[in-house]
Amino acid sequence: MGLSASKTYIAVLLIFAGLVLSGCQSHPSESDNSLYLQLGERSGIADVVEDLLYLIVADERINHQFKGIDVAQFHRHLTDQLCELSGGPCTYSGRGMREAHSAMGITNTQFNALAENLILAMEANQIPPVAQNRLIKQLLPLYPDIRHL
Amino acid sequence: MTFFLNKLRARKFLPLLTLGLLASPVAMADVGSRIWATGGVTSIEGSAGGGLVPWAMLGSYADDEEWGGTLALSRAEVDDYTLAVAGAGLNWNNRVEVTVARQTLDLDSLVFALKDGFGLEQDELNQDIFGLKVRLAGDVLYSPWGQWSAGIQHKRQRDFTVPNAIGARDDSGTDVYVSGSKVFFAAVFGRNLLVNATVRGTRANQGGLLGFGGDLNNGYEVMAEGGVGVFINRQWLLGAEYRQKPDNLSFAREDDWWDVFIAWVPDRRLAVTAAFVNLGDVATLKDQQGVYLSLQGSF
């Protein structure tokens, strides 16, 4: 009985050690622009977004959702948005995420397709995995708005 | 005689057939849209998870508009036993996972103990496992509270003579479990951290290979299982698992299991898992440790 209880304790410890570890690092300071620098500042982000657009056009799962957009404006808005989210000196001036995606009925498949293309675009631009992970973490709060959940 | 030949042939052909399917052009089609490595691998009981524990993720890369499937071959070689597993799974819309697995445990050294102690002539134990898992809520990557799933594993012994002789009550049983899994982005030195917790209700002895229920306890007990892993990058996951076990038989003490694993997921079609496993004491044989290797193909 005592043995079994201690084993359960070990299991719970193992599981929650991870949660605690992650909690310690989940609040970077407000003025931290190290991610922005890791992404290669605004020009580096603009290159990633350009490659992302090429990947989107070629992706049958999602390209229909982008038909008829103003490509130059989309490129500028998304670059500004990623720049701002990564701590850079930009201001996103496009529409709110929930409003912009409200009529699109974006599925999880489509969301993951875009996430995959973003990762591939970052890899093509030699963005290190740590910076990729940090940027995706900044994008997570947008998920419910884009999926309209 | 014919039966034995057929059985031998089937055993030789199943792995070949599986590998053949993996290598065929069919497997080169689209393999689903979920992000790399979020299908987990095929656990020893067929459900998507790690090696020893089912996780909340569903197998393959099928997303909410897709079908997907997996085939897997696994092998654990510990001091006195060898466990071989062949498993297959289907995933509908990343909502429902259906799996089948055949486990074969070679008794190796235990053969002599069984012959001397019980007068039994048996060199292996076989078990079939039919699994169903449903994603209840959430997404392992994107939901703040992670992904939650519930599942059952119905297990049927094919050779009950040995489990019966050592005191097991039933030759079949059904485990029920609830799992929660979440990836924390940039959590450990900028790397992504996967955390999984599973709670299982079970009567199974050594996962069911030694039958269900026993003289010490014959009812369901709640067991804690879990695992953590760190993505070195999107192709390599390094981690550990722990699985609490019941202790139903006075014949031999049953220990908890744990493993340390490394998984390589070069793309969505292939996953290779290697692990060091510690199964503790198994049916009187002490401190069973060894290596685990698993190959999984997704389509």
Side-chain angles (χ1 to χ4, degrees):
Chain A
M1 194 65 196
L3 192 65
S4 176
S6 74
K7 283 170 176 176
T8 308
Y9 177 70
I10 291 168
V12 169
L13 201 69
L14 190 80
I15 291 157
F16 288 98
L19 292 170
V20 172
L21 264 175
S22 64
C24 288
Q25 312 198 2
S26 60
H27 300 290
S29 64
E30 289 293 323
S31 59
D32 181 6
N33 71 344
S34 63
L35 174 57
Y36 174 67
L37 298 176
Q38 281 178 319
L39 294 171
E41 305 186 36
R42 197 181 185 286
S43 69
I45 295 169
D47 289 345
V48 170
V49 173
E50 185 178 338
D51 284 344
L52 173 61
L53 283 167
Y54 287 125
L55 289 166
I56 289 170
V57 168
D59 193 330
E60 297 291 337
R61 294 171 296 183
I62 51 175
N63 54 12
H64 60 275
Q65 294 278 26
F66 292 84
K67 283 234 167 71
I69 60 163
D70 178 339
V71 175
Q73 186 192 56
F74 184 90
H75 181 272
R76 193 173 66 250
H77 279 161
L78 186 53
T79 303
D80 281 339
Q81 189 179 22
L82 297 183
C83 168
E84 185 176 357
L85 280 169
S86 65
C90 312
T91 307
Y92 172 61
S93 58
R95 289 188 292 164
M97 283 292 106
R98 183 166 284 274
E99 182 203 344
H101 297 88
S102 62
M104 295 174 73
I106 295 186
T107 64
N108 214 58
T109 303
Q110 293 167 347
F111 187 91
N112 271 325
L114 189 87
E116 175 184 335
N117 290 329
L118 175 61
I119 293 167
L120 291 174
M122 288 193 286
E123 283 183 354
N125 287 276
Q126 285 85 46
I127 305 290
V130 168
Q132 294 182 29
N133 299 340
R134 291 179 67 194
L135 180 62
I136 292 169
K137 185 177 177 179
Q138 296 303 314
L139 292 169
L140 288 181
L142 307 181
Y143 174 75
D145 289 344
I146 292 169
R147 288 286 325 281
H148 213 66
L149 298 176
Chain B
M1 190 62 190
T2 323
F3 168 74
F4 278 113
L5 277 176
N6 282 342
K7 202 177 167 189
L8 268 175
R9 242 177 239 153
R11 198 177 302 156
K12 274 186 183 163
F13 269 94
L14 187 60
L16 286 175
L17 184 68
T18 312
L19 290 175
L21 281 173
L22 295 185
S24 76
V26 178
M28 302 300 286
D30 285 346
V31 199
S33 294
R34 277 155 59 213
I35 297 298
W36 307 279
T38 56
V41 295
T42 302
S43 69
I44 56 165
E45 287 158 324
S47 309
L52 302 175
V53 177
W55 298 348
M57 293 103 93
L58 273 52
S60 88
Y61 293 94
D63 213 326
D64 60 353
E65 303 171 79
E66 299 167 334
W67 281 91
T70 56
L71 291 168
L73 289 175
S74 308
R75 197 171 174 87
E77 297 200 6
V78 295
D79 296 289
D80 296 306
Y81 300 97
T82 304
L83 177 69
V85 186
L90 279 177
N91 176 340
W92 174 73
N93 282 7
N94 197 25
R95 178 60 68 184
V96 181
E97 170 194 282
V98 180
T99 52
V100 291
R102 162 75 55 89
Q103 294 180 335
T104 301
L105 182 71
D106 282 324
L107 298 175
D108 300 351
S109 335
L110 197 66
V111 170
F112 304 107
L114 289 170
K115 194 166 183 211
D116 297 343
F118 297 91
L120 295 174
E121 301 253 10
Q122 185 136 16
D123 60 358
E124 66 175 41
L125 296 173
N126 288 278
Q127 174 175 242
D128 290 335
I129 302 171
F130 304 93
L132 178 72
K133 176 158 62 178
V134 177
R135 184 174 62 85
L136 301 174
D139 183 284
V140 67
L141 298 180
Y142 308 126
S143 299
W145 297 103
Q147 177 166 328
W148 293 86
S149 298
I152 59 169
Q153 292 174 341
H154 180 65
K155 305 175 174 184
R156 303 178 77 89
Q157 274 280 334
R158 297 173 61 83
D159 316 280
F160 192 53
T161 315
V162 170
N164 192 32
I166 61 174
R169 298 293 172 83
D170 293 304
D171 65 353
S172 70
T174 304
D175 290 359
V176 295
Y177 63 90
V178 174
S179 286
S181 299
K182 178 162 172 58
V183 168
F184 295 91
F185 283 93
V188 182
F189 303 109
R191 309 290 162 177
N192 299 336
L193 174 76
L194 170 68
V195 178
N196 178 82
T198 296
V199 175
R200 181 195 302 254
T202 184
R203 297 175 62 227
N205 309 319
Q206 296 294 357
L209 283 161
L210 295 183
F212 303 84
D215 51 339
L216 294 184
N217 170 62
N218 196 33
Y220 273 89
E221 285 185 305
V222 176
M223 296 292 137
E225 305 175 5
V228 291
V230 174
F231 283 96
I232 307 304
N233 57 33
R234 68 175 173 86
Q235 296 188 331
W236 291 91
L237 177 65
L238 184 66
E241 288 182 304
Y242 170 84
R243 174 165 167 175
Q244 191 187 23
K245 309 263 299 310
D247 190 12
N248 299 335
L249 298 170
S250 60
F251 156 76
R253 192 166 65 97
E254 180 166 342
D255 285 332
D256 298 347
W257 291 346
W258 59 266
D259 71 77
V260 178
F261 68 85
I262 184 156
W264 177 51
V265 189
D267 70 6
R268 290 190 178 90
R269 289 184 202 100
L270 178 68
V272 182
T273 311
F276 169 80
V277 293
N278 186 316
L279 307 181
D281 294 358
V282 178
T284 72
L285 298 176
K286 300 289 176 201
D287 201 21
Q288 297 297 309
Q289 303 185 31
V291 293
Y292 172 82
L293 188 67
S294 179
L295 287 175
Q296 186 206 55
S298 296
F299 56 90

